[in-house]
Amino acid sequence: MTGSGDGRGGATTRATGHPAAGTATRPGDYVWGLVRLLIGWVFLWAFLDKLFGWGFGTPADRAWIRGASPTTGYLKGTARKPLGAVFSPLAGHAWADWLFMIGLLGVGLALMLGVAMRLTAVLGGLLLLLMWAAELPPEHNPFVDYRLVYLFVIAGLALTDAGDTLGIGRWWGNTALVRHHPWLK
């Protein structure tokens, strides 16, 4: 069955809202697919560097696999910020470390693959919002920093089905699991 359109000049299937087979992909779709991959790599790289301590943002002796806490440096650094009393005490707790690392890995993989974009936008947006709030005010601007920009870009990627181009989003959206649980789209 074919619906009215996908906003990209092509027909959509009524059941999934995804472009119908054979629908042309516009050049802009590739740009947004690349943006999704790039932001996914930012999250995935942060996870890998904190896990293994490859020396880019995390020195080898501060790697999570060597027993260091991936949240301590960042959250302890927020102590003098306006919300430092909220965020600084969370530093180094195992539950905070696990949630942070699972968040980085999950958001990174989902963006790289182009799956669960709605859920990724919500959870990744929450992670970014919390990191932004912990840093208030940002170092180089009284309000806006890259975390807010990423938050809105990820939301836009989810709203435009950016996982369908250069990703497996279209396939994912047509699985029985996602058809039964559309919030996983």
Side-chain angles (χ1 to χ4, degrees):
M1 295 183 94
T2 311
S4 60
D6 65 359
R8 299 185 306 179
T12 60
T13 60
R14 209 173 274 157
T16 66
H18 286 281
T23 302
T25 302
R26 299 178 313 165
D29 295 337
Y30 288 101
V31 171
W32 291 116
L34 285 171
V35 168
R36 178 184 49 76
L37 289 168
L38 291 170
I39 294 176
W41 180 246
V42 168
F43 278 88
L44 195 53
W45 178 258
F47 169 79
L48 293 169
D49 191 44
K50 289 177 185 331
L51 178 64
F52 297 112
W54 286 336
F56 289 87
T58 306
D61 62 335
R62 305 272 321 183
W64 197 28
I65 62 169
R66 291 192 176 91
S69 166
T71 61
T72 296
Y74 183 77
L75 291 176
K76 285 291 183 191
T78 66
R80 295 185 190 172
K81 299 284 186 170
L83 296 176
V86 173
F87 291 102
S88 187
L90 303 176
H93 289 283
W95 64 267
D97 292 342
W98 277 95
L99 281 176
F100 179 63
M101 293 296 281
I102 289 169
L104 289 176
L105 178 62
V107 170
L109 285 176
L111 286 171
M112 294 295 290
L113 295 171
V115 299
M117 294 296 292
R118 292 176 185 171
L119 182 60
T120 299
V122 170
L123 297 178
L126 178 61
L127 177 63
L128 289 163
L129 187 64
L130 289 171
M131 291 176 70
W132 171 80
E135 268 306 302
L136 278 175
E139 183 178 351
H140 300 290
N141 185 302
F143 183 70
V144 176
D145 76 351
Y146 69 92
R147 293 170 193 93
L148 279 184
V149 174
Y150 284 176
L151 184 154
F152 283 97
V153 170
I154 292 171
L157 293 171
L159 292 171
T160 59
D161 292 327
D164 292 0
T165 305
L166 303 175
I168 61 171
R170 186 170 295 139
W171 170 83
W172 174 256
N174 287 319
T175 63
L177 175 68
V178 176
R179 284 196 315 268
H180 191 263
H181 303 287
W183 59 272
L184 289 172
K185 181 174 182 276

